[in-house]
Amino acid sequence: MKGYKIYFAIGLILILVYLIAQFNKPTPTDWSPSYKKESKIPYGTYILYNQLQDVLPGVKKQASAMPIYNTLKGKNYTNASYLIIAPQIKITKVDFEQIKKFTSAGNKVFIASYTLGNHAEEALKIKTAYNFNKDGSSINFTNPALKTVVNYGFDKGIGNQYYRSIDTAKATVLGVDANNKPNFISYNFGKGALYVIAGPGFYSNCNMLDKYGPEYAAKTLSYLKGTNTLIFDDYYNIVDAGETNILRVFFKHPELKYAYYLCIFSLLLFVFYDIKRRQRIIPIADPYTNTSVEYAQVVGSVYYHEHNNLDIAQKKISYLLEHLRSRYYIRTNEIDSAFAITLMQKTGINEAMAKSLTRYITQIPTLKNYSDSELIGLNQIIEDFYKNTKT
């Protein structure tokens, strides 16, 4: 009976320590690409939305939670601008027609997104590409009035996107990256213009707190100066995905949280009570010899002598895809432009890592050889992925 009391006391202490740790646990940073105007997470646009009048003095802001067609149809806007900041949008045919009518009347449309949808990209004859650079991006303007002597540098995957194909007869290049690839272009429609920049990250909260982020964002949006009304899109932003862990639901609601704690306490109480029973003596058995180390050494030796880096890289990619299918139920039969976003939403990794993994998955099967440094880089980003998603 005395031993039971000791176990019971230890159990209560452990539960108390666990409850205190849960109560004082810091809230993890939400890296989901929200881009909502009221969102204060790293990839929200709270700072931009509340500082727009510093860039566009006297402008009147109005939010729209409807598609482009519903927002512009039947409205007679004059000297207005339409601002869309979202990871991906799908501009339909009717949406694009409304954009042309809106701009032809002397208004402006500014879109910051990775993709515009098949119809808009075909109509504008643009194709977006991603340039992976672990040291970050380097970009600048073509307009002498905006161009700086030293390029703007960004990290976290911001600015790595560019347009690998544009209609040079209609598009005007306003900004380029370090390789002189356009990342900021415009199209004239009637009296107005359509501005397109290859990525929404320039306007995120984390970039607006960066050293040169506010300056670059302000210069891009300076093309909208003179606008009386600014329509800020709220329709194409991704709904905050949050964590997929089922325990998040329990801890979000107090009733479920305390029920969860009660279940844990009851389970411990049952285990401690059951310990009182006398158990038969279990004979000592000789442990089995672990030959895993020897096997790993043999396999490693074979791969070392063969020095087939590409085969190793392909196997690592295959194991990673199987992990994504079995653990997160992500379809991997088609790796398209939306794969990186799906990867971010379901695994909780940041944008840069998701795009890097997507690039490796699509490029490695097409290569004929692979260097030691490239294999080390692949192994490092996969190991970082497993560490960041470990629960």
Side-chain angles (χ1 to χ4, degrees), residues 190-215:
K191 300 178 181 179
L194 167 64
Y195 300 93
V196 184
I197 190 166
F202 299 111
Y203 311 99
S204 61
N205 292 329
C206 62
N207 194 59
M208 296 300 288
L209 295 175
D210 196 32
K211 185 176 181 180
Y212 300 109
E215 179 182 331

PDB file of all heavy atoms in Angstrom, residues 190-215:
ATOM      1  N   GLY A 190      -5.923  50.643 -73.133  1.00  0.00           N
ATOM      2  CA  GLY A 190      -6.636  51.914 -73.224  1.00  0.00           C
ATOM      3  C   GLY A 190      -5.912  53.001 -72.464  1.00  0.00           C
ATOM      4  O   GLY A 190      -4.703  53.214 -72.627  1.00  0.00           O
ATOM      5  N   LYS A 191      -6.607  53.675 -71.569  1.00  0.00           N
ATOM      6  CA  LYS A 191      -6.031  54.754 -70.794  1.00  0.00           C
ATOM      7  C   LYS A 191      -5.365  54.268 -69.513  1.00  0.00           C
ATOM      8  O   LYS A 191      -4.716  55.041 -68.811  1.00  0.00           O
ATOM      9  CB  LYS A 191      -7.114  55.779 -70.432  1.00  0.00           C
ATOM     10  CG  LYS A 191      -7.792  56.425 -71.638  1.00  0.00           C
ATOM     11  CD  LYS A 191      -8.875  57.384 -71.180  1.00  0.00           C
ATOM     12  CE  LYS A 191      -9.604  58.028 -72.372  1.00  0.00           C
ATOM     13  NZ  LYS A 191     -10.674  58.941 -71.910  1.00  0.00           N
ATOM     14  N   GLY A 192      -5.555  52.991 -69.175  1.00  0.00           N
ATOM     15  CA  GLY A 192      -5.019  52.459 -67.928  1.00  0.00           C
ATOM     16  C   GLY A 192      -3.933  51.423 -68.155  1.00  0.00           C
ATOM     17  O   GLY A 192      -3.419  51.266 -69.252  1.00  0.00           O
ATOM     18  N   ALA A 193      -3.592  50.702 -67.091  1.00  0.00           N
ATOM     19  CA  ALA A 193      -2.504  49.731 -67.181  1.00  0.00           C
ATOM     20  C   ALA A 193      -2.718  48.588 -66.196  1.00  0.00           C
ATOM     21  O   ALA A 193      -3.400  48.732 -65.175  1.00  0.00           O
ATOM     22  CB  ALA A 193      -1.157  50.409 -66.911  1.00  0.00           C
ATOM     23  N   LEU A 194      -2.126  47.447 -66.562  1.00  0.00           N
ATOM     24  CA  LEU A 194      -2.110  46.271 -65.704  1.00  0.00           C
ATOM     25  C   LEU A 194      -0.665  46.022 -65.286  1.00  0.00           C
ATOM     26  O   LEU A 194       0.215  45.894 -66.136  1.00  0.00           O
ATOM     27  CB  LEU A 194      -2.660  45.047 -66.456  1.00  0.00           C
ATOM     28  CG  LEU A 194      -2.427  43.677 -65.809  1.00  0.00           C
ATOM     29  CD1 LEU A 194      -3.155  43.569 -64.470  1.00  0.00           C
ATOM     30  CD2 LEU A 194      -2.860  42.552 -66.746  1.00  0.00           C
ATOM     31  N   TYR A 195      -0.417  45.971 -63.979  1.00  0.00           N
ATOM     32  CA  TYR A 195       0.917  45.711 -63.454  1.00  0.00           C
ATOM     33  C   TYR A 195       0.943  44.312 -62.836  1.00  0.00           C
ATOM     34  O   TYR A 195       0.049  43.952 -62.070  1.00  0.00           O
ATOM     35  CB  TYR A 195       1.301  46.744 -62.395  1.00  0.00           C
ATOM     36  CG  TYR A 195       1.304  48.160 -62.924  1.00  0.00           C
ATOM     37  CD1 TYR A 195       0.166  48.968 -62.816  1.00  0.00           C
ATOM     38  CD2 TYR A 195       2.433  48.687 -63.548  1.00  0.00           C
ATOM     39  CE1 TYR A 195       0.163  50.265 -63.308  1.00  0.00           C
ATOM     40  CE2 TYR A 195       2.439  49.991 -64.038  1.00  0.00           C
ATOM     41  CZ  TYR A 195       1.300  50.775 -63.918  1.00  0.00           C
ATOM     42  OH  TYR A 195       1.308  52.055 -64.416  1.00  0.00           O
ATOM     43  N   VAL A 196       1.966  43.541 -63.170  1.00  0.00           N
ATOM     44  CA  VAL A 196       2.082  42.170 -62.672  1.00  0.00           C
ATOM     45  C   VAL A 196       3.487  41.963 -62.123  1.00  0.00           C
ATOM     46  O   VAL A 196       4.474  42.242 -62.815  1.00  0.00           O
ATOM     47  CB  VAL A 196       1.812  41.131 -63.781  1.00  0.00           C
ATOM     48  CG1 VAL A 196       1.838  39.724 -63.206  1.00  0.00           C
ATOM     49  CG2 VAL A 196       0.482  41.400 -64.468  1.00  0.00           C
ATOM     50  N   ILE A 197       3.585  41.490 -60.878  1.00  0.00           N
ATOM     51  CA  ILE A 197       4.879  41.186 -60.271  1.00  0.00           C
ATOM     52  C   ILE A 197       4.879  39.725 -59.828  1.00  0.00           C
ATOM     53  O   ILE A 197       3.871  39.217 -59.312  1.00  0.00           O
ATOM     54  CB  ILE A 197       5.175  42.140 -59.088  1.00  0.00           C
ATOM     55  CG1 ILE A 197       6.615  41.977 -58.615  1.00  0.00           C
ATOM     56  CG2 ILE A 197       4.198  41.948 -57.949  1.00  0.00           C
ATOM     57  CD1 ILE A 197       7.086  43.098 -57.701  1.00  0.00           C
ATOM     58  N   ALA A 198       5.984  39.040 -60.026  1.00  0.00           N
ATOM     59  CA  ALA A 198       6.048  37.571 -59.890  1.00  0.00           C
ATOM     60  C   ALA A 198       6.231  37.125 -58.449  1.00  0.00           C
ATOM     61  O   ALA A 198       7.237  36.529 -58.090  1.00  0.00           O
ATOM     62  CB  ALA A 198       7.171  37.016 -60.757  1.00  0.00           C
ATOM     63  N   GLY A 199       5.275  37.405 -57.602  1.00  0.00           N
ATOM     64  CA  GLY A 199       5.335  36.913 -56.230  1.00  0.00           C
ATOM     65  C   GLY A 199       4.708  37.884 -55.247  1.00  0.00           C
ATOM     66  O   GLY A 199       4.934  39.102 -55.332  1.00  0.00           O
ATOM     67  N   PRO A 200       3.945  37.374 -54.266  1.00  0.00           N
ATOM     68  CA  PRO A 200       3.306  38.253 -53.282  1.00  0.00           C
ATOM     69  C   PRO A 200       4.177  38.547 -52.070  1.00  0.00           C
ATOM     70  O   PRO A 200       3.832  39.393 -51.245  1.00  0.00           O
ATOM     71  CB  PRO A 200       2.078  37.434 -52.870  1.00  0.00           C
ATOM     72  CG  PRO A 200       2.544  36.006 -52.984  1.00  0.00           C
ATOM     73  CD  PRO A 200       3.510  35.969 -54.142  1.00  0.00           C
ATOM     74  N   GLY A 201       5.308  37.841 -51.936  1.00  0.00           N
ATOM     75  CA  GLY A 201       6.114  37.969 -50.723  1.00  0.00           C
ATOM     76  C   GLY A 201       6.658  39.354 -50.459  1.00  0.00           C
ATOM     77  O   GLY A 201       6.981  39.688 -49.312  1.00  0.00           O
ATOM     78  N   PHE A 202       6.787  40.184 -51.495  1.00  0.00           N
ATOM     79  CA  PHE A 202       7.305  41.543 -51.304  1.00  0.00           C
ATOM     80  C   PHE A 202       6.425  42.364 -50.366  1.00  0.00           C
ATOM     81  O   PHE A 202       6.891  43.341 -49.782  1.00  0.00           O
ATOM     82  CB  PHE A 202       7.406  42.266 -52.655  1.00  0.00           C
ATOM     83  CG  PHE A 202       8.319  41.608 -53.637  1.00  0.00           C
ATOM     84  CD1 PHE A 202       7.812  40.990 -54.782  1.00  0.00           C
ATOM     85  CD2 PHE A 202       9.684  41.583 -53.428  1.00  0.00           C
ATOM     86  CE1 PHE A 202       8.649  40.393 -55.697  1.00  0.00           C
ATOM     87  CE2 PHE A 202      10.531  40.983 -54.341  1.00  0.00           C
ATOM     88  CZ  PHE A 202      10.018  40.374 -55.477  1.00  0.00           C
ATOM     89  N   TYR A 203       5.162  41.986 -50.224  1.00  0.00           N
ATOM     90  CA  TYR A 203       4.194  42.789 -49.470  1.00  0.00           C
ATOM     91  C   TYR A 203       3.778  42.114 -48.166  1.00  0.00           C
ATOM     92  O   TYR A 203       2.838  42.553 -47.522  1.00  0.00           O
ATOM     93  CB  TYR A 203       2.978  43.078 -50.356  1.00  0.00           C
ATOM     94  CG  TYR A 203       3.394  43.598 -51.707  1.00  0.00           C
ATOM     95  CD1 TYR A 203       3.460  42.751 -52.814  1.00  0.00           C
ATOM     96  CD2 TYR A 203       3.799  44.912 -51.860  1.00  0.00           C
ATOM     97  CE1 TYR A 203       3.896  43.218 -54.045  1.00  0.00           C
ATOM     98  CE2 TYR A 203       4.239  45.399 -53.084  1.00  0.00           C
ATOM     99  CZ  TYR A 203       4.283  44.542 -54.180  1.00  0.00           C
ATOM    100  OH  TYR A 203       4.728  45.007 -55.387  1.00  0.00           O
ATOM    101  N   SER A 204       4.477  41.039 -47.786  1.00  0.00           N
ATOM    102  CA  SER A 204       4.168  40.325 -46.545  1.00  0.00           C
ATOM    103  C   SER A 204       4.702  41.096 -45.341  1.00  0.00           C
ATOM    104  O   SER A 204       5.580  41.961 -45.460  1.00  0.00           O
ATOM    105  CB  SER A 204       4.787  38.930 -46.578  1.00  0.00           C
ATOM    106  OG  SER A 204       6.199  39.016 -46.693  1.00  0.00           O
ATOM    107  N   ASN A 205       4.163  40.768 -44.167  1.00  0.00           N
ATOM    108  CA  ASN A 205       4.595  41.442 -42.945  1.00  0.00           C
ATOM    109  C   ASN A 205       6.090  41.260 -42.694  1.00  0.00           C
ATOM    110  O   ASN A 205       6.778  42.199 -42.303  1.00  0.00           O
ATOM    111  CB  ASN A 205       3.804  40.911 -41.748  1.00  0.00           C
ATOM    112  CG  ASN A 205       2.343  41.305 -41.807  1.00  0.00           C
ATOM    113  OD1 ASN A 205       2.001  42.362 -42.330  1.00  0.00           O
ATOM    114  ND2 ASN A 205       1.471  40.463 -41.288  1.00  0.00           N
ATOM    115  N   CYS A 206       6.597  40.032 -42.910  1.00  0.00           N
ATOM    116  CA  CYS A 206       8.013  39.779 -42.634  1.00  0.00           C
ATOM    117  C   CYS A 206       8.911  40.598 -43.556  1.00  0.00           C
ATOM    118  O   CYS A 206       9.974  41.070 -43.132  1.00  0.00           O
ATOM    119  CB  CYS A 206       8.322  38.281 -42.751  1.00  0.00           C
ATOM    120  SG  CYS A 206       8.047  37.569 -44.393  1.00  0.00           S
ATOM    121  N   ASN A 207       8.484  40.797 -44.795  1.00  0.00           N
ATOM    122  CA  ASN A 207       9.307  41.588 -45.702  1.00  0.00           C
ATOM    123  C   ASN A 207       9.184  43.081 -45.414  1.00  0.00           C
ATOM    124  O   ASN A 207      10.139  43.836 -45.615  1.00  0.00           O
ATOM    125  CB  ASN A 207       8.924  41.306 -47.151  1.00  0.00           C
ATOM    126  CG  ASN A 207       9.950  41.830 -48.133  1.00  0.00           C
ATOM    127  OD1 ASN A 207      11.113  41.450 -48.092  1.00  0.00           O
ATOM    128  ND2 ASN A 207       9.529  42.725 -49.015  1.00  0.00           N
ATOM    129  N   MET A 208       8.018  43.499 -44.938  1.00  0.00           N
ATOM    130  CA  MET A 208       7.834  44.910 -44.603  1.00  0.00           C
ATOM    131  C   MET A 208       8.640  45.305 -43.368  1.00  0.00           C
ATOM    132  O   MET A 208       8.856  46.484 -43.103  1.00  0.00           O
ATOM    133  CB  MET A 208       6.348  45.217 -44.375  1.00  0.00           C
ATOM    134  CG  MET A 208       5.480  45.022 -45.616  1.00  0.00           C
ATOM    135  SD  MET A 208       5.972  46.078 -46.998  1.00  0.00           S
ATOM    136  CE  MET A 208       5.427  47.663 -46.402  1.00  0.00           C
ATOM    137  N   LEU A 209       9.084  44.300 -42.599  1.00  0.00           N
ATOM    138  CA  LEU A 209       9.940  44.569 -41.445  1.00  0.00           C
ATOM    139  C   LEU A 209      11.416  44.387 -41.785  1.00  0.00           C
ATOM    140  O   LEU A 209      12.277  44.570 -40.930  1.00  0.00           O
ATOM    141  CB  LEU A 209       9.560  43.639 -40.281  1.00  0.00           C
ATOM    142  CG  LEU A 209       8.155  43.849 -39.695  1.00  0.00           C
ATOM    143  CD1 LEU A 209       7.862  42.789 -38.647  1.00  0.00           C
ATOM    144  CD2 LEU A 209       8.017  45.245 -39.092  1.00  0.00           C
ATOM    145  N   ASP A 210      11.691  43.991 -43.019  1.00  0.00           N
ATOM    146  CA  ASP A 210      13.059  43.828 -43.473  1.00  0.00           C
ATOM    147  C   ASP A 210      13.691  45.203 -43.728  1.00  0.00           C
ATOM    148  O   ASP A 210      12.995  46.224 -43.759  1.00  0.00           O
ATOM    149  CB  ASP A 210      13.088  42.984 -44.754  1.00  0.00           C
ATOM    150  CG  ASP A 210      14.477  42.463 -45.070  1.00  0.00           C
ATOM    151  OD1 ASP A 210      15.224  42.215 -44.115  1.00  0.00           O
ATOM    152  OD2 ASP A 210      14.809  42.325 -46.252  1.00  0.00           O
ATOM    153  N   LYS A 211      15.002  45.216 -43.929  1.00  0.00           N
ATOM    154  CA  LYS A 211      15.714  46.485 -44.068  1.00  0.00           C
ATOM    155  C   LYS A 211      15.265  47.267 -45.290  1.00  0.00           C
ATOM    156  O   LYS A 211      15.009  48.478 -45.227  1.00  0.00           O
ATOM    157  CB  LYS A 211      17.222  46.212 -44.137  1.00  0.00           C
ATOM    158  CG  LYS A 211      18.064  47.480 -44.150  1.00  0.00           C
ATOM    159  CD  LYS A 211      19.552  47.139 -44.125  1.00  0.00           C
ATOM    160  CE  LYS A 211      20.400  48.402 -44.110  1.00  0.00           C
ATOM    161  NZ  LYS A 211      21.856  48.093 -44.078  1.00  0.00           N
ATOM    162  N   TYR A 212      15.180  46.582 -46.447  1.00  0.00           N
ATOM    163  CA  TYR A 212      14.839  47.265 -47.692  1.00  0.00           C
ATOM    164  C   TYR A 212      13.449  46.890 -48.210  1.00  0.00           C
ATOM    165  O   TYR A 212      13.057  47.351 -49.278  1.00  0.00           O
ATOM    166  CB  TYR A 212      15.891  46.952 -48.766  1.00  0.00           C
ATOM    167  CG  TYR A 212      17.280  47.382 -48.381  1.00  0.00           C
ATOM    168  CD1 TYR A 212      18.254  46.439 -48.063  1.00  0.00           C
ATOM    169  CD2 TYR A 212      17.620  48.727 -48.322  1.00  0.00           C
ATOM    170  CE1 TYR A 212      19.538  46.839 -47.703  1.00  0.00           C
ATOM    171  CE2 TYR A 212      18.902  49.130 -47.957  1.00  0.00           C
ATOM    172  CZ  TYR A 212      19.861  48.180 -47.644  1.00  0.00           C
ATOM    173  OH  TYR A 212      21.114  48.571 -47.282  1.00  0.00           O
ATOM    174  N   GLY A 213      12.728  46.058 -47.479  1.00  0.00           N
ATOM    175  CA  GLY A 213      11.416  45.627 -47.931  1.00  0.00           C
ATOM    176  C   GLY A 213      10.424  46.756 -48.137  1.00  0.00           C
ATOM    177  O   GLY A 213       9.798  46.855 -49.201  1.00  0.00           O
ATOM    178  N   PRO A 214      10.252  47.647 -47.153  1.00  0.00           N
ATOM    179  CA  PRO A 214       9.286  48.741 -47.333  1.00  0.00           C
ATOM    180  C   PRO A 214       9.620  49.650 -48.515  1.00  0.00           C
ATOM    181  O   PRO A 214       8.731  50.091 -49.231  1.00  0.00           O
ATOM    182  CB  PRO A 214       9.371  49.500 -46.004  1.00  0.00           C
ATOM    183  CG  PRO A 214       9.901  48.509 -45.023  1.00  0.00           C
ATOM    184  CD  PRO A 214      10.825  47.632 -45.805  1.00  0.00           C
ATOM    185  N   GLU A 215      10.915  49.910 -48.719  1.00  0.00           N
ATOM    186  CA  GLU A 215      11.314  50.796 -49.816  1.00  0.00           C
ATOM    187  C   GLU A 215      10.962  50.173 -51.169  1.00  0.00           C
ATOM    188  O   GLU A 215      10.414  50.852 -52.044  1.00  0.00           O
ATOM    189  CB  GLU A 215      12.814  51.068 -49.749  1.00  0.00           C
ATOM    190  CG  GLU A 215      13.330  51.965 -50.872  1.00  0.00           C
ATOM    191  CD  GLU A 215      14.829  52.168 -50.812  1.00  0.00           C
ATOM    192  OE1 GLU A 215      15.388  52.110 -49.696  1.00  0.00           O
ATOM    193  OE2 GLU A 215      15.431  52.386 -51.882  1.00  0.00           O
TER     194      GLU A 215
END
